[in-house]
Amino acid sequence: MGEERDGVPLTNLDQELFAGAGATKRDLVDYLDAMAGRFLPVLRDRPLSVIRVLRGQDRFMQKNLPKYTPDWVPRTTVWADSSHREVTYPLANDRRTLFWLGNQRAVEYHPALMTAGSTHPTHLIMDLDPPEDGGFGLAVAGARLVRQALAGAGMSGAVKTSGAKGVHVFVPLADGAAVEDVAAAQRAVAARAERLDPELATTAFIREDRHGKVFLDATRAGGATVAAAYSPRARPGVPVSFPVGWDDLDRVTPADFTIATVPGLLGDRDPWADAMPAPQKLDPELVAEGHTIPVARVQAMHEGKRRARARREATGES
C-alpha cells in the first residue's frame, strides 16, 4: 500500500533516492516535512526549477511542469527568450506541493531570483566557487573578501554553504532594484573583492584563466537561479545548502549538513531568516562602477572566439 501526507499519494518510499545517495526517497520526504516551515518561505511565489533524479537516469533540471501535474499545484508562466515559449513553473507555496515534488524525486530546489510577476531581483548574490583541487576553506576566504567589499559599500549579507564545494552570499535588496543595476553591482563587488587579494580570488569567467584561485561568480542575476537555503543537493550523502554564521565558517564543512543531520541541528531555529539583514538600497557608486565592467559571459564568448581564431592562424588552418 502507498502512503499519503496531506492527501498526497507517495510511492516507492524505501527505494534509494539515487545511486550513491545513502538515503531513501522516504528520507527526502521526511526532510521536506520537517523543514517545510523554514523551506517554504525561501521558495514562496518564486518560479521554481527542480533537479530530479529518476531511477536509472541521469539527473536533469525541470522547469516546465509536466502535463500530469495535479490542478492544485500553484503555478506561474514565464516567457523564455532562449526557447521562445511560455514556460509553466511550479510555485512551492504549501506543504502539499513540497510533498508532490519530493514524490517526483525532485532533490534540488532552485527558485528564481524574482517573485512571480516581478522584474526586480530580491537579492544581490555572490557565488564563491573554489578551484577543482581547492577545498571549502578557499571558498570561505573568498566569501570574507566579498563581505569586506560589501562593507566598503555600506552593505551586508548572510552566508550559506552551497551544498556542494562553495559558498553563497545573499544581500537582501530594497524594493525596485533594476535587474541591470543588480547585475552591475554584483560585477563591482566581485572586482573589488578580487582587488583585495588577487592572489586568492579571480573574476575570470574562463576556467583555464583562474589558475587555482577562488572564482568570484557575479553572474547570478536576471534569469539565473541559485540553490535555495535548505535545499538538498543531488550528491552522495545528500548534503544541504545551509546557513552558517560568518564567525562559524572556519569550523564547518559542507558535509556537516545533510538531510539526515539538519533537522536535528536546527531544533525550532531558522538561522537563514535570523541571519538575513534588513533590505538595502544598492550603493550608487557600486552600480556605476559595475556598468563599466563587461558582462562576463559575453566577454568570455568573444575571448573564446578570439582564441580559437588565434589557434587556427597559428596552425595555418583557414
Side-chain angles (χ1 to χ4, degrees), residues 84 104 119 133 139 142 144 147 161 180 230 276 288 290 294 299 303:
H84 300 290
Q104 297 288 308
T119 57
D133 55 354
R144 295 199 193 286
R147 188 187 194 194
T161 67
E180 298 79 12
Y230 305 123
M276 197 60 67
Q299 192 181 24
E303 179 61 15

Side-chain angles (χ1 to χ4, degrees), residues 59-81:
R59 67 193 66 182
F60 65 97
M61 180 169 268
Q62 177 178 290
K63 297 174 183 285
N64 224 357
L65 271 178
K67 291 200 166 31
Y68 55 78
T69 304
D71 291 343
W72 50 259
V73 171
R75 64 201 70 194
T76 188
T77 55
V78 178
W79 177 257
D81 283 330

